[in-house]
Amino acid sequence: MTSDDLAAAPAPVLVTEIPGPQARRVLERDAATTSPSLPRVYPFVPARGAGSVVEDVDGNRFLDLNAGIAVASTGHCHPRVVEAIRAQSAELIHYSASDFYLPIYSELTERLDEIAPMSGRVRSFLTNSGTEAVEAAIKLARHHTGRQYIIGFYGSFHGRSYGSLSLTASKAAYRAGFAPLLPGVLHAHYGDGRDIGFAPGSETDGFPTIDHIEGFLMTKIVPPEEVAAIVVEPVLGEGGYIVPPVGWLRALRDLCDRHGILLVCDEVQSGMGRTGKMWAVEHEGVEPDILLAGKGIASGMPLGAMIARAELMTWTKGAHGSTYGGNPVSCAAALATLDVIREEHLLENADKVGTVILEGLRDIQARRAEIREVRGLALMIGIELPDHDASAAVERRAFEKGMLLLGCGGSSVRMSPPLTFREDQARTALALFEETLAEVEAGA
Ligand SMILES: Cc1ncc(COP(=O)(O)O)c(C=O)c1O
């Protein structure tokens, strides 16, 4: 079967039991020699992928609603991305952009300047991952403001290196055993404050969670003039695919402006078109001071970006660097990704196909009481189920039926397929999802 056939496949095809014999061999070797910290969720062993379909080592074909965890923005192995990687790797695989000048590095930073949701000029620092982009933002914010404190949000996920982990507050397991974390990091309540049962606010009567930051955190714990930055995911990712109420991000922006605090928007997961706009902040017309990108930026090659208003980049030579960050092959993949998103109208597609899925899920919700909430924007969709056991069972059963889903938050599953996801695939996914719910309920 060619890659084109694989990408065109209308539905999953299972040719062996799951996991099959080849997969079981890999799992055995893996269990003996890899770090047990890897948070594997089900025994999926991919061998190749095309578009939104992935084939495992036994030849079973899955519909991929994970996109390699919101990474394969242009689908798996988009021919233009593959060609860009091939061409660049035949020319130059590596030279450290920290120490010398790579043409493709500044070609990409120039493109990021064009697409950044900030009105003035921006400068970018390229990294290998999302967590490194977060680390760079923490350093720049402290360096530029001369202030120490950083505020993050309960429920958020920013990565696992020490600075990012200190901001991450989506699961205690991520932090367990690693204290002390970075000093000077505080947490506030996200969005409508559902985590602590705040009454929902509105654009006109204010937001209790914003009032809590100013009225509590900044009066009882730390004065605002010592806060360098507030770091926020415009849509919570790992913490549950939660969209904050309309106006909340704007209120957060205003709070930052009142106190000279930098607003850092972590769009590692919500960026690059996932919500139907290039950046989720564009839904609210909010301009961050620092924007963080990763995951879908290079369709699967390791790359992240810390994008800041140019006037914030007051740090000097040697203050920050990276041997591999902005590697030329990753930059080539990112440039091809940006071209494909624009030329194949993937923002429009994400919006259109996302609407099909959201509406389809709401129809299913009307028939099935175990769906407590359907939420999301375009192809960043969360489905709240009764509890963690239910979401884990749905994730597992969907896998056994040939559809890849992933849990998020305490009791939700997420759908984050490639931005190339087609309408026919969306309808297949909806049918499989409803069958999965019924089978889980029946204890299949
Ligand atoms: C919003 C957000 N920020 C940061 C990260 C960390 O990215 P990485 O795993 O590339 O380090 C993630 C990863 O899931 C994320 O979702």
Side-chain angles (χ1 to χ4, degrees):
M1 173 176 280
T2 67
S3 293
D4 283 350
D5 294 337
L6 192 59
V13 177
L14 302 178
V15 295
T16 69
E17 59 181 333
I18 306 286
Q22 299 294 339
R24 284 203 300 274
R25 245 169 251 140
V26 175
L27 297 175
E28 246 169 64
R29 187 180 64 213
D30 195 279
T33 55
T34 66
S35 164
S37 65
L38 298 170
R40 271 69 176 274
V41 284
Y42 44 79
F44 174 53
V45 187
R48 63 191 190 123
S52 300
V53 181
V54 196
E55 196 172 89
D56 78 1
V57 286
D58 292 293
N60 299 300
R61 265 188 259 142
F62 298 80
L63 201 52
D64 187 6
L65 279 91
N66 290 339
I69 323 306
V71 166
S73 47
T74 56
H76 291 282
C77 302
H78 191 290
R80 288 182 62 187
V81 175
V82 172
E83 176 50 28
I85 292 170
R86 197 205 56 73
Q88 180 58 47
S89 57
E91 292 292 328
L92 183 71
I93 292 177
H94 170 74
Y95 221 96
S96 173
S98 274
D99 301 284
F100 302 98
Y101 299 88
L102 291 175
I104 200 161
Y105 187 104
S106 49
E107 202 183 325
L108 179 56
T109 53
E110 189 176 71
R111 286 289 286 280
L112 293 174
D113 181 38
E114 281 161 26
I115 63 165
M118 290 102 123
S119 26
R121 162 122 312 166
V122 300
R123 288 174 176 267
S124 297
F125 178 90
L126 302 180
T127 67
N128 302 290
S129 64
T131 198
E132 287 176 45
V134 177
E135 298 292 339
I138 294 172
K139 284 180 70 176
L140 179 66
R142 282 183 163 175
H143 196 278
H144 176 76
T145 61
R147 303 175 178 190
Q148 286 196 22
Y149 285 90
I150 314 277
I151 298 178
F153 289 92
Y154 295 114
S156 55
F157 184 89
H158 298 285
R160 296 164 183 277
S161 50
Y162 260 96
S164 314
L165 181 63
S166 307
L167 280 165
T168 288
S170 57
K171 281 196 190 99
Y174 296 146
R175 301 160 64 99
F178 296 121
L181 300 178
L182 194 68
V185 175
L186 302 170
H187 290 88
H189 299 286
Y190 187 82
D192 60 11
R194 61 173 69 197
D195 56 334
I196 52 160
F198 273 160
S202 73
E203 210 167 342
T204 44
D205 66 8
F207 296 100
T209 49
I210 301 285
D211 297 343
H212 190 258
I213 296 175
E214 260 179 333
F216 182 80
L217 273 188
M218 291 179 173
T219 55
K220 301 222 186 296
I221 314 287
V222 61
E225 55 278 10
E226 289 188 27
V227 178
I230 296 184
V231 183
V232 66
E233 289 173 86
V235 178
L236 274 196
E238 207 272 337
Y241 273 34
I242 294 171
V243 186
V246 173
W248 186 78
L249 270 182
R250 157 75 28 220
L252 195 62
R253 171 75 270 179
D254 293 344
L255 180 147
C256 288
D257 290 344
R258 281 197 289 282
H259 302 291
I261 296 169
L262 301 178
L263 180 65
V264 180
C265 291
D266 180 347
E267 295 239 25
V268 167
Q269 187 146 183
S270 61
M272 299 309 294
R274 179 134 304 281
T275 68
K277 295 197 185 286
M278 187 58 88
W279 310 108
V281 287
E282 293 176 62
H283 290 280
E284 290 279 310
V286 162
E287 292 197 17
D289 297 300
I290 300 177
L291 179 87
L292 308 178
K295 287 192 179 276
I297 191 172
S299 296
M301 291 298 288
L303 190 76
M306 192 270 287
I307 303 165
R309 288 196 290 112
E311 57 276 22
L312 301 181
M313 287 256 188
T314 45
W315 53 10
T316 49
K317 224 183 203 351
H320 202 47
S322 162
T323 299
Y324 291 120
N327 164 275
V329 184
S330 294
C331 288
L335 288 166
T337 298
L338 290 170
D339 288 343
V340 169
I341 289 177
R342 188 182 56 215
E343 290 164 30
E344 297 188 9
H345 311 290
L346 295 189
L347 302 183
E348 294 81 349
N349 188 66
D351 199 35
K352 187 182 76 178
V353 179
T355 302
V356 170
I357 301 179
L358 280 163
E359 285 174 358
L361 286 171
R362 289 190 178 118
D363 287 347
I364 298 173
Q365 185 183 18
R367 294 188 287 274
R368 300 215 59 101
E370 66 268 53
I371 299 189
R372 300 290 157 86
E373 188 182 34
V374 173
R375 54 182 180 249
L377 293 169
L379 292 177
M380 188 163 190
I381 297 171
I383 305 143
E384 186 82 35
L385 297 169
D387 52 33
H388 179 71
D389 285 352
S391 61
V394 165
E395 191 184 65
R396 176 74 196 207
R397 187 71 195 132
F399 166 58
E400 289 161 356
K401 292 174 70 64
M403 179 165 71
L404 304 176
L405 296 176
L406 196 64
C408 61
S411 48
S412 303
V413 288
R414 63 180 114 170
M415 292 184 170
S416 60
L419 308 183
T420 52
F421 209 54
R422 302 189 309 259
E423 229 172 292
D424 65 301
Q425 291 171 319
R427 297 202 189 282
T428 304
L430 288 165
L432 282 171
F433 189 69
E434 189 161 12
E435 279 173 36
T436 300
L437 292 178
E439 289 170 22
V440 166
E441 191 191 36

